[in-house]
Amino acid sequence: MLTWMDSLKGRSLMRLASFTDEEMLNLVDLAAQLKARRRAGVRGDLLHRKNIALIFEKSSTRTRNSSIIAARDEGGGAEYLTRPDIHFGKKESVKDTARVLGRIYDGILFRGFLQKTCEELAEFSGVPVWNGLTDDYHPTQILADLLTIKETFGDLKDCTVAYVGDGRNNVANSLMMGCAKAGVRYICCTPKELWPDEAVLAEAEEVAKRNGVDIRVFDDPVKGVKGANVLYTDVWVSMGEEAKTAERIKMLRPYQINMDLMRATGNIDGKLMFLHCLPAFHDFNTEVTKTSGALEVTDEVFESKYSRVFDESENRMHTIKALFVSALCDRKGV
Ligand code: CP
Ligand code: NVA
């Protein structure tokens, strides 16, 4: 029988701090139950006649498709809306768009630039709004990451996650808070110029302390990853920062995850995995890397037995489904 917390009904997700620790972990558990349900071949009706608007200002493979299939699997629908499709922010304000779409849809998932836009949609639409990535946070990604760690290691206890790369991007910010809330030790290996924002770090540190774990920031990746069980990276240049590409590649080269860095954890023969939110520049097969080759992770690590990136990617769908179901489903005990 599927169960989830009543307090999740009707809830928006702006960032992981929007939820209590228990609520966040409950969503991860619900996602595991929904995954098992889908594996058993069940396509149910938990979202029967629920319609979700997907407002996307930035590109997406995983978040877009996960949202559409999550809704469709359970009898709901999702409509993909990009800036050229609707008047959003051009002929119509965010506030007015929110009020229009909130009368039509049961929920809105937003991917875009400003966190403020996401918050405004939540404030004025009157329906749950989920942050599918902004410049500042990527909370739905971290639900999938926690599920992947839990599935691979059995639980989240006694685990150290080392994030290596751009330490103040949306994924790093949310991962730091997600680890703090889950009681997972978090290490950030990043150059001084990209250290986490002070306020974001302080907020996560307070939560980590409450849960008996610490957060440590290093500029030396080899020292930093010692003892880590999860090495995690993301692209060196996030969407919207393309002008910084050359500078970032130069700055972050020493932070590439390769087999030497995997070995530097000291856990190469034990509890160790590699995660990446994807898309990843690990080979020559993209427009960006056709001449440069691998950037943030080598092909050797990406394709190794330590890599759980496609489980992680699949888990985006189950965790987004958990968010939709817990917020919108009218029934319990199904
Ligand atoms: N990880 C992630 O959010 O992927 P997409 O950009 O493809 O949605
Ligand atoms: N930090 C990356 C995440 C992509 C899923 C970006 O914002 O482009």
Side-chain angles (χ1 to χ4, degrees):
M1 193 167 79
L2 294 172
T3 51
W4 59 88
M5 290 170 73
D6 289 335
S7 61
L8 293 169
K9 177 84 180 157
R11 290 282 288 282
S12 291
L13 173 61
M14 295 295 104
R15 54 201 196 105
L16 289 175
S18 311
F19 290 141
T20 65
D21 301 352
E22 195 188 1
E23 285 168 344
M24 181 191 79
L25 293 171
N26 188 246
L27 277 167
V28 174
D29 286 344
L30 175 59
Q33 295 174 54
L34 289 165
K35 184 172 183 176
R37 172 183 163 91
R38 192 179 200 256
R39 291 271 159 96
V42 180
R43 300 290 192 276
D45 60 356
L46 299 174
L47 296 169
H48 182 57
R49 293 196 181 148
K50 301 293 182 189
N51 290 302
I52 295 164
L54 308 175
I55 305 179
F56 277 53
E57 296 178 320
K58 293 178 177 174
S59 307
S60 166
T61 299
R62 279 143 289 271
T63 312
R64 171 184 178 172
N65 288 289
S66 295
S67 302
I68 291 169
I69 300 305
R72 191 184 294 166
D73 262 4
E74 292 294 339
E79 187 70 24
Y80 180 65
L81 307 166
T82 67
R83 272 195 177 255
D85 299 322
I86 53 175
H87 299 298
F88 187 61
K90 290 191 305 277
K91 280 172 70 180
E92 199 159 37
S93 65
V94 173
K95 183 174 174 178
D96 287 358
T97 307
R99 288 183 288 183
V100 170
L101 296 181
R103 303 273 187 114
I104 299 172
Y105 288 94
D106 300 289
I108 299 171
L109 185 134
F110 172 73
R111 162 167 291 202
F113 294 90
L114 302 179
Q115 180 71 15
K116 185 169 164 287
T117 307
C118 197
E119 285 164 9
E120 228 178 308
L121 286 170
E123 185 179 353
F124 296 107
S125 64
V127 296
V129 174
W130 304 282
N131 178 352
L133 179 148
T134 60
D135 291 344
D136 298 336
Y137 300 105
H138 195 3
T140 64
Q141 175 66 51
I142 279 52
L143 298 177
D145 302 338
L146 293 173
L147 175 58
T148 311
I149 296 170
K150 202 169 171 183
E151 283 174 343
T152 309
F153 293 153
D155 67 28
L156 295 167
K157 294 281 161 252
D158 210 19
C159 181
T160 301
V161 171
Y163 174 92
V164 185
D166 175 2
R168 36 96 283 171
N169 76 9
N170 40 21
V171 169
N173 287 344
S174 289
L175 184 64
M176 182 161 65
M177 179 55 89
C179 287
K181 289 174 89 62
V184 168
R185 289 181 294 274
Y186 179 78
I187 295 167
C188 181
C189 302
T190 188
K192 286 257 158 52
E193 297 88 328
L194 297 174
W195 276 35
D197 174 84
E198 265 179 44
V200 175
L201 177 61
E203 189 187 30
E205 274 175 334
E206 203 179 308
V207 176
K209 196 169 158 200
R210 167 160 54 72
N211 288 324
V213 288
D214 57 8
I215 294 174
R216 301 173 72 193
V217 186
F218 287 85
D219 57 2
D220 180 341
V222 176
K223 277 196 190 131
V225 300
K226 195 166 169 15
N229 308 108
V230 179
L231 286 200
Y232 193 124
T233 191
D234 183 12
V235 290
W236 291 341
V237 184
S238 288
M239 290 179 277
E241 297 185 320
E242 288 75 9
K244 296 181 179 160
T245 302
E247 165 199 328
R248 283 288 173 74
I249 291 178
K250 198 164 164 234
M251 188 189 292
L252 286 165
R253 276 265 183 234
Y255 295 82
Q256 181 187 66
I257 297 189
N258 51 38
M259 283 313 289
D260 285 342
L261 202 63
M262 295 288 280
R263 274 188 283 273
T265 60
N267 286 326
I268 198 83
D269 296 318
K271 186 172 156 183
L272 181 63
M273 77 168 94
F274 168 72
L275 293 179
H276 189 311
C277 56
L278 306 184
F281 293 131
H282 62 95
D283 56 21
F284 288 90
N285 300 328
T286 72
E287 274 176 32
V288 175
T289 54
K290 64 186 169 202
T291 51
S292 67
L295 296 179
E296 71 274 7
V297 56
T298 59
D299 208 38
E300 192 182 10
V301 171
F302 189 89
E303 300 293 354
S304 72
K305 65 176 183 181
Y306 303 102
S307 179
R308 291 282 178 278
V309 295
F310 295 108
D311 295 326
E312 183 185 12
S313 165
E314 178 192 332
N315 286 340
R316 296 297 313 286
M317 206 277 286
H318 306 297
T319 42
I320 285 176
K321 192 187 281 179
L323 270 176
F324 291 171
V325 167
S326 62
L328 301 181
C329 181
D330 299 320
R331 291 176 297 119
K332 290 287 293 274
V334 279

